[in-house]
Each structure stands twice: as C-alpha cells, then as structure tokens.
Amino acid sequence: MSHVLVASQVLLAVIFVVSAFSKLRSRTALRSFAATLGMLPGPARLPAAAATAAAEVAAAATMMVFPPIGLAVSGMLLIAFSLWIAVSLRGGRREPCQCFGASATPLGPVHLIRNGLLLLVVALGWATLMFPGDPVTVAGLALAVPVGLAGAALLIIFDDIADLFMEISGSS
C-alpha cells in the first residue's frame, strides 16, 4: 500500500504544481485567472487568484514533505473548488476553466467529475496512511512514480478528453 501513497503523492503534487504554475507564470496569466472569478467583487479577484495559486503551491510542497498535511490541504482545496463550481453552475455562471492555463472551456459537470476523481486519490492516500503495508522499494517506486505522473497527465487533459467524447457522441 505504501506504493499507492507514493503514486497518490506524485499525482496530486503534479496536479497542483501545474495548476499553480499556469496561474503564476506571468502577470497576464494571473490576471486572466482572476477575471474568471466573477462571483467575487472586482477588487477581491486578484488577491483571491494569488491566494489560490499560493494554496496550490502549499498543497504540492507539503504533499511531498509531510503527506498527512498535504493530503488534508489537497482535500480542502478540491472541496472548495468543487463548491465554487457547483455554486457557479447553480447560479448560471459558466466562467472558463483556467485550472491548468488559458482555456475557453466553461466550467461544468465534467470539472466536478475530475475533482471527484482527485478526491478519490486523496482518500486512497489517507487509506494508505492508515494501513501502510510493506515498505517502499526501488522497484515499487519505479512503478508508482510513472503511474502518478500518467494519472496527473490524464487528469490535466481531462476536459479536452471529455470535449472529444462529447463531440464523438454528439456526431453519431
């Protein structure tokens, strides 16, 4: 089970690093993300965007150094993001998802599904903390790290995959 924790740590850390980097890579990127926070008053958007990116960095950093705190921070962020999406959808707002960089794809149910999958990864990480199992081995790391990286890559491109499936199913 310890290898499952490593895969979970890698997956969540990569998700949050990529998400934070997409917001912090330039002033324009941060302002672009802030503009999507339409439920907030104008003056609060830029500080909220910066705080979001800082929390993502904190989640990734603590994930690798102290997994219990990293998992807790990740879970709280994902729940907050999911609540934000749900409230936005309920209010009829369809801001673009800039979770991983500039995107025109509006927030929607697919983003709640992605966050649900990420919350399952958090739960899996917690389960491995409670039931650690065998110690981590080099061979196990050789499998766990690429699995975490592949999972992160798939979840990062999740909206693109979902859009592709929607196009395919809509055209048949």
Side-chain angles (χ1 to χ4, degrees), residues 20 23-24 30 47-61 73 77:
K23 294 167 184 71
L24 297 173
L30 187 61
T52 299
E56 291 171 333
V57 169
V73 172
L77 279 175

Side-chain angles (χ1 to χ4, degrees), residues 70-118:
L71 289 166
V73 172
S74 296
M76 288 186 288
L77 279 175
L78 290 164
I79 290 168
F81 295 160
S82 297
L83 287 172
W84 178 273
I85 294 167
V87 169
S88 294
L89 293 176
R90 185 166 169 92
R93 298 187 73 89
R94 296 291 308 258
E95 303 289 348
C97 172
Q98 294 200 356
C99 308
F100 301 108
S103 172
T105 303
L107 288 171
V110 71
H111 299 97
L112 291 173
I113 292 168
R114 180 184 58 212
N115 286 359
L117 292 171
L118 287 166

Side-chain angles (χ1 to χ4, degrees), residues 137-158:
T137 64
V138 173
L141 282 176
L143 180 61
V145 171
V147 165
L149 291 171
L154 286 173
L155 289 169
I156 288 168
I157 62 169
F158 191 79

